[in-house]
Amino acid sequence: FNGPWTIAGDAYRAFALPHGVPVSGTVLRAFPENATVQVEDPVRDAVVAFSDASREFEVVTGVDGRFEVALPADGRFAARVDHPGFLPFQAPEQNPFQWQGASRFSLVARNVTVSGDLLLNGGLVTDVSVPVVFRAVGPGAQTTRAAVDGAGAYAADLAPGRYAVGVDQDLSGTGEVRLQLARETPLTIDVGAAPIALDLDLAIRF
């Protein structure tokens, strides 16, 4: 309506309000294409924003990773998805009708640093050739060999998931004497986890 209105008492008037174009979609965690187990992992509490030069429309995903938003029909909007445990996702601008059929976003989880000391009988193991391997045993995890610094410490940046930690070094050249973990060491890394400190106790086996 044009101009001010003064209403005294009860009154009813219908106004024609602009309706946006409904856009719904899903935010999921991205998994490696060669993973043996393919799963869909919805990302809750992700902030999905559609914006142009002067406007931004923001919504937060639910427990199922889904979101719904209404966008003005007269614009072209770029998309951005943010979540503390994932790398930011961006997609180039499209009009709202194009977004109606292209609103499935996959986020890559941030790596988590795992580090600690290599210990043998209470002392540091300084051999840089010691193979410290985090073997993936669940979706999202990626088998990774840690860096060993020669001062008795190791570090690895790992994708969230489940791992089996392993050390197996042939000390004799014949396989009869081996440097291994003193005990089985499973490890689960959650999305958004803080860096993990994990010392590894080793043993010599004959």
Side-chain angles (χ1 to χ4, degrees), residues 168-178 205-206:
D168 189 14
Q169 184 180 35
D170 182 3
L171 299 180
S172 63
T174 63
E176 296 178 352
V177 182
R178 310 193 73 86
R205 293 193 169 93
F206 299 89

Side-chain angles (χ1 to χ4, degrees), residues 34-83:
N34 61 349
T36 56
V37 180
Q38 295 295 326
V39 297
E40 288 194 348
D41 190 7
V43 178
R44 65 180 298 176
D45 297 329
V47 178
V48 182
F50 293 90
S51 60
D52 61 10
S54 60
R55 298 171 293 182
E56 182 171 274
F57 302 87
E58 191 173 279
V59 66
V60 177
T61 58
V63 296
D64 57 357
R66 293 189 57 78
F67 67 88
E68 295 183 1
V69 66
L71 300 178
D74 62 350
R76 293 180 61 83
F77 300 92
R80 180 182 175 91
V81 185
D82 289 291
H83 188 287

Side-chain angles (χ1 to χ4, degrees), residues 82-171:
D82 289 291
H83 188 287
F86 295 85
L87 299 176
F89 174 91
Q90 291 181 304
E93 64 180 24
Q94 298 187 97
N95 67 52
F97 300 100
Q98 290 172 309
W99 279 124
Q100 283 184 319
S103 295
R104 183 182 175 93
F105 304 133
S106 296
L107 304 187
V108 176
R110 294 182 185 274
N111 286 349
V112 176
T113 299
V114 179
S115 61
D117 291 335
L118 300 175
L119 302 171
L120 178 64
N121 298 324
L124 294 171
V125 177
T126 58
D127 182 356
V128 296
S129 67
V130 174
V132 180
V133 178
F134 293 81
R135 182 172 57 85
V137 294
Q142 299 182 54
T143 296
T144 302
R145 179 165 174 164
V148 178
D149 67 3
Y154 77 90
D157 289 330
L158 303 175
R162 292 188 295 113
Y163 293 87
V165 188
V167 173
D168 189 14
Q169 184 180 35
D170 182 3
L171 299 180

